[in-house]
Amino acid sequence: GRMILLTMKEEKKLTVVQKVMDGTMDIEQSSKVLGISERQMYRLMTLVREGCPSGLIHGNRGNQHACRYDADVRGKVLELVREKYQDINDTHLAEILKEKEKIEMGREGLRQLLRRSGIGPKQKRRGKVYRRRRDRKAAFGTMIQLDSSLHAWLEGRGGGCTLVGGIDDATNKVWARFEASECTWGYLRLMHDIVESNGIPLSVYTDRHTIFYSPKEPTVMEQLEGVESLTQVGRAYKELGIEMIKAYSPQAKGRIERLWGTFQDRLVVEMRLAGITTREEANTFLKGYLPRYNAQFGVSPKESKSVFRKKPVRQVLKRILCLKDTRSVKQDHTISFEGLTLQIPRSSKWMSIVKQKVEVIQIQDGSLEVRYKEQTVLSLSKDALQSLMEKFQVKKEPLKNAA
């Protein structure tokens, strides 16, 4: 008869059957080794005894696959892919072939046909990134992970809002506030809350959002002077001496990503039960909710001593956590700012500051200051600004989303 080549699996079956027939293994053991029933074991022994080891071979050996497409269809598909349908992902290609060419081929069958014929996928699968577990920081205040989460926090009961928050890496303590959107003022106000409650942290860990890092390339002059292109948030945090660390993936700042999952699950329910319908109410609710949350989910740091630094006095802090712009003073001692013309009054300190650079500061309370050499040369309250804007017909809310 014809020669039968057995696979390793089939050879194992034959060896076990022979051991049973030699009496060196019993039926119960052998059926467990092969993972078959005792009845099947007796059947195999009968086949081998009758000199028919082909019974050990699977019945489908050598048969064509039931779903195999004939050579004409395969050839037609490969011709179409090479000439007409290039650079299309497999699922989409299967849909196109069915719709435009009336060729029905499953995605997996098509994938195997293309790969065997040397036609690669449209996109290479990205290999899994090796991630190493990072231990928590040892002390409270070493690093705070910052982020924001846009979500249906009020479940349609009020307008949309974004939760801007920070979580301490060592203790899981959370600071958060609801803002209209993820904005510069949101992160300045959040840092104000953190500094007022605990002091200045050593570092913050953020994504690469343009709120934190300027996409602007520094000019040649800036490069020569060693000046960085900083955003308002970057500048304010630098003035406070806070190191900014970039996270290059959401997984890197996993602690705050998981926090959003927890809040989207729990906080939403709590606010629904409390009947919260506006952003203002939500922020008031947070003041009571966060201490309870922190008490329940906080962890003890490895080192008991906090490393938060002492907060600056209020007047200094408000002139750091603000928006700063530079303007040149014109011949008539005015500056242009956000569509307004601002007159700088005469000063007993300086005869003239024409052509000098001044700093325009927008404070969180909505007021505005113009400063020259660390001295305030013009101060406008929120109301005074508002009336100026009406006079100049500047169609804006109080400047740049101030409080």
Side-chain angles (χ1 to χ4, degrees), residues 137 139-144 168 191 194 199-205 237 240-245 306-310:
K137 298 296 181 193
F140 182 40
T142 308
M143 183 171 85
I144 294 174
D168 179 70
M191 187 51 70
I194 293 170
I200 303 171
L202 298 187
S203 67
V204 291
Y205 198 46
Y237 288 9
L240 285 171
I242 300 168
E243 185 192 355
M244 289 175 71
I245 306 164
S306 158
V307 293
F308 274 99
R309 285 166 294 135
K310 192 167 172 265

Side-chain angles (χ1 to χ4, degrees), residues 141-178:
T142 308
M143 183 171 85
I144 294 174
Q145 295 187 18
L146 299 182
D147 198 17
S148 73
S149 171
L150 176 62
H151 183 69
W153 294 106
L154 301 176
E155 301 177 300
R157 294 187 301 279
C161 53
T162 296
L163 188 58
V164 177
I167 185 168
D168 179 70
D169 197 75
T171 63
N172 273 10
K173 178 169 179 175
V174 175
W175 300 264
R177 60 183 301 129
F178 285 105

Side-chain angles (χ1 to χ4, degrees), residues 287-319:
K287 284 179 184 152
Y289 177 77
L290 287 176
R292 294 201 310 272
Y293 179 89
N294 287 329
Q296 186 177 350
F297 293 103
V299 296
S300 298
K302 284 182 201 161
E303 292 174 14
S304 56
K305 198 171 182 297
S306 158
V307 293
F308 274 99
R309 285 166 294 135
K310 192 167 172 265
K311 67 178 180 185
V313 296
R314 193 156 287 174
Q315 289 302 316
V316 172
L317 186 61
K318 79 170 189 180
R319 289 194 182 110

Side-chain angles (χ1 to χ4, degrees), residues 39-226:
R39 182 175 154 273
Q40 281 282 73
M41 196 64 221
Y42 280 115
R43 190 186 135 271
L44 289 180
M45 285 168 64
T46 307
L47 286 167
V48 174
R49 199 175 282 125
E50 290 171 357
C52 185
S54 58
L56 300 171
I57 296 167
H58 197 283
N60 282 345
R61 169 84 76 89
N63 290 350
Q64 286 261 327
H65 194 285
C67 296
R68 188 175 172 86
Y69 304 98
D70 65 41
D72 290 349
V73 173
R74 295 201 309 269
K76 178 92 169 89
V77 167
L78 290 172
E79 188 185 326
L80 284 167
V81 171
R82 288 187 176 121
E83 290 174 12
K84 191 175 175 185
Y85 300 128
Q86 293 162 336
D87 206 30
I88 300 171
N89 80 54
D90 301 339
T91 308
H92 193 191
L93 182 59
E95 290 164 11
I96 289 171
L97 289 173
K98 182 179 176 181
E99 184 189 332
K100 300 199 186 308
E101 308 292 340
K102 303 292 177 277
I103 298 173
E104 283 210 40
M105 189 177 272
R107 187 197 69 90
E108 182 56 20
L110 179 61
R111 185 188 73 78
Q112 289 185 13
L113 170 64
L114 296 179
R115 296 308 97 84
R116 274 200 306 268
S117 308
I119 299 169
K122 181 180 179 182
Q123 285 183 315
K124 282 200 165 59
R125 278 188 176 223
R126 284 174 64 179
K128 287 221 167 67
V129 179
Y130 170 77
R131 299 193 189 281
R132 184 171 165 273
R133 184 179 179 83
R134 179 180 63 73
D135 290 338
R136 281 182 185 275
K137 298 296 181 193
F140 182 40
T142 308
M143 183 171 85
I144 294 174
Q145 295 187 18
L146 299 182
D147 198 17
S148 73
S149 171
L150 176 62
H151 183 69
W153 294 106
L154 301 176
E155 301 177 300
R157 294 187 301 279
C161 53
T162 296
L163 188 58
V164 177
I167 185 168
D168 179 70
D169 197 75
T171 63
N172 273 10
K173 178 169 179 175
V174 175
W175 300 264
R177 60 183 301 129
F178 285 105
E179 295 283 345
S181 62
E182 183 177 18
C183 61
T184 293
W185 273 122
Y187 286 107
L188 293 176
R189 285 193 273 259
L190 178 70
M191 187 51 70
H192 190 273
D193 293 348
I194 293 170
V195 172
E196 281 292 340
S197 65
N198 292 94
I200 303 171
L202 298 187
S203 67
V204 291
Y205 198 46
T206 70
D207 56 21
R208 291 171 292 160
H209 198 290
T210 50
I211 284 175
F212 301 109
Y213 297 98
S214 173
K216 255 189 355 189
E217 288 294 317
T219 63
V220 175
M221 283 305 290
E222 283 173 336
Q223 284 175 343
L224 289 173
E225 290 167 19

